[in-house]
């Protein structure tokens, strides 16, 4: 996995990337044997998704210039779009209207 970092006035190793990790767990509880000697059990499946987003940064505070400034602008645009998507998904009125 490659992760880009760059120094800013706010953080010497500021992450310039987003990351999404998903972990799947499956647990089976066995409960004795039935008449044909096979185990009977309950299986529980879980999914955990961890999201690490590059931080929203104010240009004046970071002192970013050139490529770092363009990265910051791009990160902020992406975070704005993600926020709009999340707000749309949880907006009950929009869901009811279809």
């Amino acid at each position: 996995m490659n992760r880009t970092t760059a120094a800013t006035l706010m953080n010497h190793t500021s992450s310039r990337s987003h990351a999404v990790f998903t972990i799947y767990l499956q647990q089976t509880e066995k409960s004795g044997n039935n008449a044909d000697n096979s185990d009977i059990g309950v299986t529980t499946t879980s999914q955990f998704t961890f999201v690490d987003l590059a931080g929203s940064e104010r240009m004046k505070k970071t002192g970013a210039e050139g490529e770092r400034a363009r990265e910051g602008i791009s990160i902020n645009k992406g975070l704005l779009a993600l926020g709009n998507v999340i707000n749309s998904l949880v907006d009950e009125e929009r869901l009811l209207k279809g």
Side-chain angles (χ1 to χ4, degrees):
M1 171 172 55
N2 294 326
R3 189 179 89 140
T4 302
T5 59
T8 69
L9 294 178
M10 293 179 65
N11 187 340
H12 291 290
T13 57
S14 178
S15 171
R16 314 304 291 168
S17 60
H18 307 303
V20 179
F21 302 94
T22 303
I23 298 173
Y24 298 94
L25 298 175
Q26 185 174 41
Q27 176 183 10
T28 302
E29 294 182 36
K30 303 213 183 233
S31 58
N33 293 325
N34 61 15
D36 65 356
N37 290 328
S38 63
D39 289 330
I40 298 174
V42 175
T43 299
T44 303
T45 303
S46 301
Q47 174 182 328
F48 297 91
T49 302
F50 300 93
V51 179
D52 178 18
L53 300 175
S56 175
E57 300 173 341
R58 297 204 184 273
M59 301 291 263
K60 288 182 183 180
K61 288 186 177 183
T62 64
E65 296 178 348
E67 185 62 27
R68 299 288 88 79
R70 286 189 289 280
E71 285 175 349
I73 291 167
S74 181
I75 289 167
N76 289 344
K77 284 181 183 178
L79 291 173
L80 176 62
L82 177 61
N84 290 339
V85 169
I86 292 170
N87 286 332
S88 294
L89 291 172
V90 298
D91 185 351
E92 290 185 28
E93 287 183 29
R94 289 182 77 179
L95 289 174
L96 295 174
K97 290 179 184 176

